[in-house]
Amino acid sequence: MSEAQDLRKRSKKRYGGGHRSKKYKGSRELEVGMQGVLITCNMNERKCTAEAFNLLNEYADQLYGPENFKEPEESSSEEEEDEDVEAALKKEVKQLKASSGKRQRRFQAMDSGANNVIFIKTKNLDPEKLVHHILSDLHITKKNKSRVILRMLPVSGTCKAFQEDMDKYLSVFLEPWFKAPNQGSYQIAFKARNSSHNKRDDIIKALAGLVGKMNPKNKVDLTTPELTIIVEVIKSVCCVSVVRDYTLYRKYNLQEVAKEEGPKDGKQEEVTANQEEIKVNQEEKDGKPEEIKSNQEEKDGKQEEIKSNQEEKDGKQEEIKSNQEEKDGKQEEGKDAPKTDREGKGEEEK
């Protein structure tokens, strides 16, 4: 029994005993200070991650060019022999630091802290610009390039998910869009995952008050806002961004954008579509008075018919009444005749 326990202990020491995976997870978690893309999926995070890397790299190459990895230059053996040991060590450390900086990828998968949600950390690029470019292309081409990805939300900034920290961070973060002289109509899209201390109504109310203080001309618009403030809270981290075309791009849902029926060649066709919709609504509106008139005429006809039936009914009642009076007259005449006969017989007897 003791030998089996010793063998088990050795195996745990050799393979890490579960501590390796915990350390790996903790070193690649979503943290305050990161930028990136928050992606939701339908029950398959591994495929979602692979799909996200392909999609992000495809469009990042269009905007920023392909990634380049340069290996650090290796010193020749002759140069190393001439240098002393201390100088060689310093040089090697310097090369390792440069190599680690160059080898850091522009996209890195992180543990988001929530199920069916992945976080891709970005480096040296604007996540809002990249995600908007992806959705714009899908909206125009109508090509569905995602099978498991649902929504793709840029994360331009992160802070601790406590009210005081959020107020302090957002008061500076939102200035480029809402502080005077800047202004715009906006809406707030809030979602909390694995966080019980953040109430939706309280966060939205505080955030709206903050935006209003920056410029009183900033107005809430829940139909067609110019800007949408996205606030995603996961555990103790608050992810924020300000995006455009949130409603047009179906809340940044990649699959819904690809299925959307709409214009493909820019604003002109969008205007044309709107004009057609207005025309249809106007025709429908114009048709309603005719329908109302027809219904009124039909109603008036029914009223005439009811009136005619009523008059016919009244005529029958008059006829019944006349017949009743005639019948009553005959009954009175019958009563008077016997009485007269009896009186005549009495006179004769006398």
Side-chain angles (χ1 to χ4, degrees), residues 57-99:
N57 278 305
E58 177 187 347
Y59 286 93
D61 289 346
Q62 297 177 12
L63 291 177
Y64 305 100
E67 278 188 292
N68 293 321
F69 296 105
K70 294 182 179 179
E71 296 293 338
E73 297 180 358
E74 296 182 357
S75 59
S76 62
S77 59
E78 295 178 357
E79 291 176 348
E80 290 179 353
E81 290 177 359
D82 294 337
E83 295 176 348
D84 58 2
V85 177
E86 185 178 357
L89 287 173
K90 289 182 178 179
K91 187 175 182 179
E92 186 175 356
V93 170
K94 186 177 180 180
Q95 288 177 347
L96 288 173
K97 288 182 178 179
S99 175

Side-chain angles (χ1 to χ4, degrees), residues 210-225:
L210 186 63
V211 174
K213 288 181 181 179
M214 291 183 179
N215 190 341
K217 294 183 179 180
N218 295 322
K219 301 298 181 183
V220 176
D221 185 353
L222 302 179
T223 306
T224 55

Side-chain angles (χ1 to χ4, degrees), residues 269-312:
E269 291 194 7
E270 184 177 354
V271 171
T272 304
N274 292 335
Q275 289 176 346
E276 290 293 331
E277 185 178 358
I278 292 171
K279 184 179 178 181
V280 171
N281 293 336
Q282 186 64 37
E283 290 177 353
E284 183 179 355
K285 185 178 179 182
D286 294 339
K288 286 183 178 179
E290 294 294 331
E291 183 179 356
I292 293 170
K293 185 177 179 182
S294 177
N295 292 337
Q296 186 64 38
E297 291 176 352
E298 184 178 355
K299 185 178 179 181
D300 293 340
K302 288 183 178 180
Q303 289 178 347
E304 291 292 334
E305 183 178 356
I306 292 170
K307 185 177 179 182
S308 176
N309 293 336
Q310 186 65 35
E311 290 176 352
E312 184 178 355

Side-chain angles (χ1 to χ4, degrees), residues 189-208:
F190 175 81
K191 177 72 175 179
R193 296 179 174 88
N194 299 337
S195 176
S196 59
H197 61 275
N198 289 290
K199 294 183 179 180
R200 182 178 183 275
D201 294 340
D202 295 341
I203 297 297
I204 291 177
K205 185 177 179 180
L207 187 53

Side-chain angles (χ1 to χ4, degrees), residues 139-297:
H139 178 68
I140 294 172
T141 61
K142 302 302 176 188
K143 291 182 180 179
N144 190 356
K145 295 186 178 182
S146 65
R147 300 183 66 182
V148 294
I149 294 177
L150 298 178
R151 299 176 69 203
M152 184 174 281
L153 304 173
V155 177
S156 301
T158 50
C159 65
K160 291 182 180 179
F162 299 98
Q163 190 66 58
E164 294 181 0
D165 298 281
M166 292 172 65
D167 291 343
K168 184 178 179 181
Y169 180 79
L170 292 172
S171 62
V172 178
F173 177 82
L174 297 174
E175 286 183 353
W177 295 276
F178 299 106
K179 187 175 182 180
N182 299 321
Q183 67 180 61
S185 60
Y186 70 96
Q187 67 174 350
I188 300 170
F190 175 81
K191 177 72 175 179
R193 296 179 174 88
N194 299 337
S195 176
S196 59
H197 61 275
N198 289 290
K199 294 183 179 180
R200 182 178 183 275
D201 294 340
D202 295 341
I203 297 297
I204 291 177
K205 185 177 179 180
L207 187 53
L210 186 63
V211 174
K213 288 181 181 179
M214 291 183 179
N215 190 341
K217 294 183 179 180
N218 295 322
K219 301 298 181 183
V220 176
D221 185 353
L222 302 179
T223 306
T224 55
E226 298 173 356
L227 301 169
T228 298
I229 304 172
I230 297 176
V231 181
E232 292 277 338
V233 174
I234 302 178
K235 290 186 175 179
S236 61
V237 180
C238 175
C239 305
V240 294
S241 61
V242 179
V243 300
R244 297 182 181 276
D245 302 319
Y246 186 72
T247 305
L248 178 64
Y249 294 157
R250 299 297 182 91
K251 298 183 179 180
Y252 278 36
N253 189 310
L254 270 61
Q255 297 188 15
E256 292 297 324
V257 167
K259 292 191 297 185
E260 182 182 0
E261 294 295 333
K264 298 182 179 181
D265 296 325
K267 294 184 178 179
Q268 185 60 41
E269 291 194 7
E270 184 177 354
V271 171
T272 304
N274 292 335
Q275 289 176 346
E276 290 293 331
E277 185 178 358
I278 292 171
K279 184 179 178 181
V280 171
N281 293 336
Q282 186 64 37
E283 290 177 353
E284 183 179 355
K285 185 178 179 182
D286 294 339
K288 286 183 178 179
E290 294 294 331
E291 183 179 356
I292 293 170
K293 185 177 179 182
S294 177
N295 292 337
Q296 186 64 38
E297 291 176 352

